[in-house]
Amino acid sequence: MGARRHWIWWCLGLAVGLIYLFMIGPIMVVLIAAFSSGDTMEFPPAGWSLRWFAALAGHADFLASFRLSLGLGLIAAAVATVSGALAAYGLVRYRRPCQAGIETLLLAPLYVPRVLIAMALLLVFAKLGLAGSLTGMIIGHALIALPFVVRTMSASLAGVDPAVEEAARCLGATWRQAFVLVTLPLVRSGLAAGAVFAFIVSFTDVYLALFIAGPETITLPLRIFTFMEWEQSPMVAAVSTAQVIVILVVMALAEKTVSLSSAGRI
Amino acid sequence: MTALSAAPTTRQRQARALALAPALAITTGALILPALVMVAYSLFAYVPGKITDYTLTLGNYARLFGDSFYLRVLANTVEMSLIVTALSLVLGFPVALFLARTTPRLRGLLAYLVFLPMMVGIVVRAYGWMVILGREGLVNSALLKTGLIDAPIRLLFTRDAVVLGLTEVLLPFMIMPILSALEKIDPHVEEAARALGASPAETFWRVTLPLSLPGVVSGSLLVFSLSLTAYALPALLGGARVKFIAALAYDAMLVGYNWPLAAAIGVLMSAVASAVIYLYLSALRGR
């Protein structure tokens, strides 16, 4: 392939290269600006240093938000992964007439704009006393992470022959044993991908946090957002870099077991 | 099909209900019910100083449609979203085409690079744009150095900055559906067109492009509805100058505490977005 490409192909390649620069550029710029030695957002930076990472390490608010977002991401991902995996199992294994309706409902959080979800949640949470609470944030993030788990799990469950599970049942395993001991190990890559998506969705969400977070539950993206509105020091670049590193590490770990990019197709 | 799905026993039906229960509880409790509550709120009267007064009224909608301010912001949001959608299509199609035609190895890497920014989140990317477009940013320092300008120009907090940022953030949502559509095209169809004497350009215009249309349609509608309801990015890159409709909802809800009005704006946004999603689904079904 590609031995004798038309010249149009190389023009297309050049254009695509520039478009990639456009897509990746803003992130690269942040990663570079984090190492600035200046006090402003001057770019390219006049000098290099690690002072903004040092400042970050001493910034109690950012550290608290970082820890909160990590914990919240893990809990929300756990809730979404368990309920999403079970739901995908119910959907794929036992087909029923209302199948399409249930599937639409489970994938709906993906298509309903985040702002609307956040507004509606605030109205309800305010009445229930959940506004600003960690519980409220967990519920909200589990909701928006759920479709990612349902989708990746449905895809990998569809690739597992139900006969394998039946064989286990015939050999005397209970429904639960068959699921945990036979099916689950076969779909672990789908499960890992779903859990990673769920974590990242929670870890990077700012919309829900803008509406339903309280003073005690300011997540990292929300902290960066509010900080950015008032101040534009390279500290934001440093904390953003830290966030990107967490995401890249999580994705790299998962990429070993499963191809996220193919699972993440819209 | 199989014994498990062909003849469901009571126990299996129970198992299915049990498996679906937690997820359905989350979606119903945290999405469907709150949505209904929002519709209800939009019909409540607003009494200053009081979060809820349960008198029913259409006053909130009357205010939205009667005040040129709200309609102007909505029109502005729709206009900018159309520009963002068109730009995403112009930039996204070549990328999808390149990905569909290149070697599998390169495709894997490049698809990953499309997907990666999506996972980084919008706050970090908005900050990147601030660094690029700021007073001392990349563009201004380049222009100053080349002598094209004498003093920094304002690039940030403009409509163009918001359009640029939204296009960058939403581009993956355009590329992915088009790529899926292009990958579904049987290579033999294009080969047949070439064998029958069509030039590469003709093959593209009369075979490849029409067949990729479902992807173009779904990508465009996805980008449009996401842009229409954007809040964080326009707020950061547009500042107080460029308001999107979602910003009015945010202000009404968290600054003015006029929840009924905020709910009415929310219902208006969902009406426009649902119309778009309906178009999206019927366009897909039509193929």
Side-chain angles (χ1 to χ4, degrees):
Chain A
M1 255 187 107
R4 279 191 301 129
R5 295 280 200 189
H6 198 267
W7 61 271
I8 289 177
W9 174 257
W10 300 110
C11 292
L12 180 66
L14 184 69
V16 167
L18 291 173
I19 297 167
Y20 267 92
L21 195 65
F22 173 69
M23 283 196 285
I24 309 289
I27 297 170
M28 299 307 293
V29 161
V30 173
L31 299 184
I32 296 168
F35 295 93
S36 166
S37 64
D39 292 315
T40 64
M41 290 212 302
E42 186 187 2
F43 197 92
W48 306 99
S49 79
L50 287 173
R51 61 178 280 215
W52 293 109
F53 287 99
L56 183 63
H59 200 291
D61 284 348
F62 272 126
L63 291 182
S65 292
F66 201 92
R67 272 195 299 272
L68 175 85
S69 274
L70 277 179
L72 175 63
L74 289 175
I75 300 171
V79 173
T81 306
V82 171
S83 51
L86 280 171
Y89 185 78
L91 275 178
V92 174
R93 280 291 179 272
Y94 308 103
R95 300 202 158 260
R96 281 292 163 279
C98 53
Q99 183 86 3
I102 294 176
E103 217 171 313
T104 308
L105 184 60
L106 293 178
L107 294 180
L110 203 60
Y111 297 109
V112 180
R114 291 271 169 90
V115 172
L116 296 176
I117 296 179
M119 288 171 64
L121 277 177
L122 177 58
L123 294 175
V124 172
F125 284 175
K127 279 278 167 247
L128 299 175
L130 285 172
S133 72
L134 186 61
T135 315
M137 293 294 291
I138 292 171
I139 294 172
H141 280 180
L143 173 77
I144 57 172
L146 192 64
F148 291 87
V149 180
V150 171
R151 183 177 275 165
T152 50
M153 277 303 285
S154 299
S156 44
L157 274 169
V160 176
D161 191 343
V164 180
E165 204 173 306
E166 276 169 55
R169 297 286 303 278
C170 290
L171 292 169
T174 65
W175 178 85
R176 214 171 274 114
Q177 282 174 324
F179 178 69
V180 174
L181 296 173
V182 178
T183 310
L184 219 48
L186 286 172
V187 295
R188 63 173 185 277
S189 67
L191 200 64
V196 166
F197 279 134
F199 174 81
I200 293 175
V201 165
S202 163
F203 195 66
T204 58
D205 162 77
V206 73
Y207 275 102
L208 261 57
L210 273 164
F211 284 82
I212 61 174
E216 301 299 311
T217 47
I218 300 176
T219 62
L220 187 61
L222 179 60
R223 180 78 70 188
I224 301 175
F225 183 96
T226 42
F227 194 83
M228 259 162 78
E229 283 194 309
W230 302 109
E231 212 177 316
Q232 294 171 351
S233 81
M235 173 101 97
V236 179
V239 67
S240 300
T241 301
Q243 191 194 349
V244 172
I245 288 170
V246 169
I247 294 165
L248 289 180
V249 166
V250 170
M251 283 180 68
L253 286 176
E255 190 71 24
K256 281 190 171 175
T257 55
V258 62
S259 169
L260 285 182
S261 35
S262 55
R265 290 287 176 80
I266 301 289
Chain B
M1 259 180 24
T2 64
L4 266 180
S5 53
T9 61
T10 315
R11 276 187 66 87
Q12 278 163 9
R13 219 171 286 134
Q14 280 172 348
R16 178 183 196 254
L18 217 61
L20 285 169
L24 286 179
I26 293 174
T27 40
T28 315
L31 185 70
I32 305 300
L33 288 179
L36 295 175
V37 169
M38 186 158 84
V39 174
Y41 256 95
S42 76
L43 296 169
F44 290 154
Y46 169 63
V47 180
K50 214 170 144 191
I51 292 278
T52 37
D53 182 274
Y54 296 101
T55 326
L56 291 179
T57 174
L58 282 173
N60 302 306
Y61 290 102
R63 190 174 157 192
L64 278 187
F65 289 108
D67 193 331
S68 68
F69 172 70
Y70 293 103
L71 293 179
R72 223 176 27 244
V73 173
L74 181 65
N76 187 42
T77 310
V78 170
E79 187 197 330
M80 289 179 74
S81 300
L82 286 174
I83 298 173
V84 167
T85 310
L87 266 177
S88 305
L89 185 56
V90 169
L91 296 178
F93 198 94
V95 174
L97 188 65
F98 188 86
L99 285 177
R101 295 285 181 273
T102 190
T103 56
R105 261 187 82 160
L106 194 58
R107 174 164 54 237
L109 175 73
L110 290 179
Y112 190 72
L113 283 179
V114 171
F115 174 69
L116 195 69
M118 268 166 97
M119 290 287 107
V120 169
I122 50 170
V123 175
V124 173
R125 292 152 85 188
Y127 182 71
W129 282 109
M130 291 172 104
V131 175
I132 292 172
L133 300 174
R135 263 187 76 83
E136 298 172 274
L138 186 60
V139 174
N140 264 324
S141 52
L143 288 177
L144 282 171
K145 207 159 276 170
T146 52
L148 282 172
I149 52 170
D150 303 321
I153 48 174
R154 202 188 70 212
L155 299 163
L156 211 53
F157 310 127
T158 61
R159 279 170 65 105
D160 293 344
V162 176
V163 167
L164 219 55
L166 276 177
T167 305
E168 187 253 335
V169 166
L170 299 178
L171 205 46
F173 295 95
M174 183 67 86
I175 295 173
M176 290 304 188
I178 298 180
L179 178 57
S180 304
L182 285 172
E183 279 177 335
K184 281 196 197 103
I185 299 175
D186 187 344
H188 294 118
V189 179
E190 286 172 344
E191 280 163 28
R194 297 279 287 125
L196 291 169
S199 72
E202 269 178 312
T203 311
F204 176 77
W205 280 111
R206 304 190 51 187
V207 178
T208 314
L209 199 60
L211 285 174
S212 69
L213 218 55
V216 170
V217 168
S218 42
S220 304
L221 292 171
L222 205 53
V223 168
F224 181 75
S225 72
L226 287 172
S227 170
L228 191 77
T229 53
Y231 169 69
L233 202 101
L236 290 170
L237 297 182
R241 290 167 200 276
V242 189
K243 283 257 186 231
F244 266 47
I245 189 78
L248 299 185
Y250 181 87
D251 290 348
M253 202 154 207
L254 293 153
V255 182
Y257 284 97
N258 186 342
W259 289 14
L261 182 68
I265 299 174
V267 172
L268 180 66
M269 274 197 288
S270 8
V272 180
S274 314
V276 168
I277 289 170
Y278 176 76
L279 278 172
Y280 163 80
L281 292 176
S282 50
L284 284 184
R285 222 169 273 139
R287 297 300 301 189

